[in-house]
Each structure stands twice: as C-alpha cells, then as structure tokens.
Amino acid sequence: LADLIMGRHKNNVESFRIVDVRYKFEYDGGHIRGAENWQHGEDDQFLSAFLPSAPLPAPPQYCLENTEKRNILIFHCEFSSQRGPDFYMKLRERDRQLNKDVYPGLHYPECYLLHLGYKEFFKNFPDLCTGNYTEMIDPRHENDLRKMRAKSKSWSGGTVARTGRMGRLHL
C-alpha cells in the first residue's frame, strides 16, 4: 500500500481506493492519506458508490499481453480482522451477484485487505497518514464506541459478536 501511495505502481495501476471501515472517531483520530471512511449501516450507500447498477457487458478475455491498467480497492479496519473483511465480502458478494452471467467478470477483480490493519500501517508509515492512531477501545471514546456498537447490533439484527476484549470493557 505504501508503494501504491508513493506512485511506485503508476505504470500498472490506473486507480486505487482505500476503504477505511473503522468507526468515525477512529478515522477522525488519524487515517491513511486519501482513505474513505464507511460505517456499518451505510451498506447500500457504500455499494452504490462503488458498483454500477449494470453488469459487465461480457466476460473478460484472458490475454498475456494485456497492458490495461488496474483499478484496485484496499480495505482495512484497525487490525483488518473483522470490519475490514466484512466490507470486503459485502462488495465481493454484490459484485459476483451483479456479474453472475459474465463469470468470472467483476467490476473489481482486485480487492485487498491491508495486512494487520491501520495499527500496523501507522506504526510503519506514519508519514503516509494524517493525524495519529486512535484505538477502538480508547477510553476517551468509550461513549462513542458504545453508541457505534449499539448501532452495529441494530443494523445487523443483533448478530454482531463481541470479542473477548470488548467484553472486558463491560459495554
């Protein structure tokens, strides 16, 4: 990702979008330059912002000499272990459903999950981030976290699982 941001793949990559799905207070505390913040409960808006309503006109043709530049999506959350993968899968599932008649065609064939999330990226590349690193369990944002967790539960029909770490916060 750092190489992408620094333009080291501009000969092969047309565009890339960084999808930060941490809670707003985490994002506001600091984020990767150019990242877009999306929240649970914004699924329809998120999918509409990324995917057109029409499928691809035909399946892609495999060609070794293909020099077409790629469009890439990179998803992440704090650790890229729950919220990031969830949004990644939502987009992939909708893209697959939309393009089921032109399999294996996808609007976004290249989607990635940032290894170890924002925490690790910030640790290694703070100059490519704005602000700092605000943990999801930062005590200064306990009320924000409680509100977001309650919203996440209602948006998912009450199926959001709490991690052992969250349970210790008594939220």
Side-chain angles (χ1 to χ4, degrees):
L1 178 57
D3 286 344
L4 265 177
I5 294 170
M6 292 186 271
R8 293 190 180 133
H9 297 285
K10 61 184 172 192
N11 293 335
N12 300 320
V13 175
E14 180 70 31
S15 69
F16 65 94
R17 290 172 78 174
I18 304 166
V19 183
D20 183 333
V21 296
R22 295 176 300 145
Y23 296 132
K24 184 171 177 3
F25 70 87
E26 293 173 277
Y27 178 84
D28 289 345
H31 56 271
I32 299 169
R33 286 193 325 225
E36 306 172 38
N37 186 231
W38 291 91
Q39 305 291 307
H40 278 282
E42 298 175 337
D43 296 12
D44 290 335
Q45 300 96 310
F46 165 73
L47 293 168
S48 295
F50 283 80
L51 294 170
S53 57
L56 294 170
Q61 299 299 312
Y62 179 74
C63 175
L64 287 175
E65 294 82 34
N66 186 359
T67 58
E68 189 175 315
K69 290 186 175 186
R70 299 157 14 218
N71 296 301
I72 297 173
L73 299 179
I74 302 102
F75 292 82
H76 77 88
C77 56
E78 185 173 11
F79 306 109
S80 290
S81 62
Q82 185 173 355
R83 295 171 286 170
D86 182 46
F87 267 73
Y88 172 99
M89 289 305 298
K90 286 176 187 177
L91 182 114
R92 177 61 82 217
E93 287 170 9
R94 177 72 60 91
D95 203 357
R96 279 265 179 248
Q97 180 61 34
L98 182 63
N99 291 295
K100 67 182 183 282
D101 294 330
V102 290
Y103 183 84
L106 294 169
H107 288 288
Y108 288 102
E110 273 192 75
C111 295
Y112 298 97
L113 188 61
L114 180 61
H115 183 66
L116 299 176
Y118 181 73
K119 178 183 181 180
E120 192 69 17
F121 188 86
F122 179 78
K123 178 178 150 188
N124 292 301
F125 304 102
D127 54 320
L128 297 179
C129 301
T130 62
N132 291 300
Y133 166 49
T134 301
E135 293 182 75
M136 181 176 73
I137 60 168
D138 186 318
R140 297 172 297 168
H141 298 282
E142 185 176 341
N143 288 333
D144 295 325
L145 178 59
R146 184 176 291 122
K147 288 175 193 170
M148 291 308 300
R149 296 292 291 187
K151 282 184 183 179
S152 290
K153 278 182 106 172
S154 68
W155 289 325
S156 66
T159 59
V160 173
R162 291 191 178 174
T163 65
R165 191 170 185 189
M166 290 299 300
R168 288 193 298 268
L169 289 175
H170 306 290
L171 296 177

